[in-house]
Amino acid sequence: MNYSNYFNRQISFFLFVFFLPLLSNADGGFLRTAAPLDEHRGYCLDVAGFGSDARPDEPLRAHTCKYGEDNVDQMFKWVDEQSGHVAIPAYDRCLAVNSMEPGVQLFVNQCELSDLQAWTFVPNGNLSLRAQPDLCVTVGEVRNDAGSDPMMFPGYGWRVSTLESCRERGDELQDIRWGSEDEQRRGNANALRSGMSKKTAEGIRKISESNASDVITRTRALYESEPRTYRPTEVEKTANIAYGEHERQILDVHVDTQRRGEDLQPVVVYFHGGGYVRGSKEGSRNVTEYFASLGLVGVNATYRLAPEIQWPQGAQDVGRAVSWVHKNIQQYGGDPDRIFVIGKSAAGGHVATYALRPDVFGERFPDVAAGVVLISGDFVADTANPTDNHIAYYGEDIDSWKDKQVLGNILQAGTAVMLTSSEFELPGIDVATLGLAN
């Protein structure tokens, strides 16, 4: 395998993670429950659907507040006292009901001077009809699953939103307040659901079709005009923490300074690639910074390289690093019971060996990882076409490789495993990934 070319073709994955589009909000604010109820992010009045699938003609609902996304379907604006209008700028409509009776649902209709669109708002109190002040906006008692993107953690929920008889102040289902991005404490990962732009996807496709040596330079140029999803100043790094005695047995811990939840958060431990013989954590800090910006705790780790070390010492370094994280991460706000380990390329082989082959530790290694993610991992050592990289790590006795590679030597499968490979993968990586899945 040409690991240099492999590394170049994979660099776009990391740049995409770093430069996912930062989406802006319309002018306005959230109309949300003053109390979090069962949702620490709160419930906000929300147009059904999302983005191009939005359905503004359907009744509004109280949906998990979507901070940090393209959330124009939750952005309302108080117009003025004269009209009593609460507008939603993205749709040029106003908050309305179709009749003044208890139990009716809320809508956004074309703005007009009407008793059905004139509201009285008491901050941190009731939002009621001006013409019928004993009827207040009310959030339903029952939470429903909103069918979130599977990458959302935790998923979104929704409740009905109706007009009901006003109750005493302090009723958690009727107390409404304005919310803003500034108050956000984003304690959980949340995938940006817009995906990669067509322009960026086409740019990556063109780069993948070339055999030029300037793949990294061209990929960086493709992304340099894209705004980041976070500002580097939001993330605090504790650097070069030793988990072993060797100078490369070190790791960095990244935590967010603005959006962390109060509870212990899941931990993502990332190990870089490099064909067993090169690579450093400095080249992948954006990955763990990104996870930290979501409110998780990111750990960016490196390990010893071949030929100074050989199989299975790379996997043993993974084990030592994860063990350190398990023992110490709580002081950084991380949950030691929710550690997820990511290995890329050669480190994918190291992490797979760590998770699936306890024999390399002399005894069963403690099950401290809640799950592992293997990105384009190296699971097969091709004895018919031995590479310098494999010789450096697996040794010159090529006949012994079949007992060292991941495929064919799995001894346990109790840890949750996620397998991925890139769209423009080198031949063999995707096949090995499918082989491991089988």
Side-chain angles (χ1 to χ4, degrees), residues 186-213:
R186 184 171 52 188
N188 296 280
N190 187 350
L192 291 177
R193 299 188 289 168
S194 61
M196 183 185 295
S197 70
K198 292 182 179 179
K199 178 182 177 182
T200 303
E202 182 58 30
I204 292 175
R205 187 178 300 278
K206 289 181 179 179
I207 293 172
S208 74
E209 293 170 351
S210 71
N211 293 316
S213 60

Side-chain angles (χ1 to χ4, degrees), residues 338-367:
R338 289 188 290 172
I339 298 173
F340 299 89
V341 185
I342 302 178
K344 160 93 171 48
S345 187
H350 291 331
V351 173
T353 302
Y354 156 75
L356 306 175
R357 293 200 59 177
D359 59 311
V360 302
F361 300 99
E363 58 184 30
R364 184 177 177 84
F365 200 78
D367 292 328

Side-chain angles (χ1 to χ4, degrees), residues 111-131:
C111 299
E112 58 185 29
L113 294 178
S114 166
D115 287 343
L116 300 178
Q117 294 187 6
W119 300 89
T120 298
F121 182 58
V122 179
N124 282 356
N126 300 137
L127 180 59
S128 61
L129 276 177
R130 179 182 295 175

Side-chain angles (χ1 to χ4, degrees), residues 177-196:
R177 68 171 175 84
W178 288 106
S180 69
E181 289 282 356
D182 294 339
E183 75 180 41
Q184 179 187 8
R185 298 189 67 179
R186 184 171 52 188
N188 296 280
N190 187 350
L192 291 177
R193 299 188 289 168
S194 61
M196 183 185 295

Side-chain angles (χ1 to χ4, degrees), residues 46-47 60 72-77 86-95 108 111:
D46 178 270
V47 171
L60 296 181
V72 296
D73 54 335
Q74 292 187 344
M75 301 302 288
F76 289 82
K77 182 179 181 180
V86 178
I88 182 164
Y91 303 99
D92 194 24
R93 298 189 184 195
C94 289
L95 181 65
V108 286
C111 299

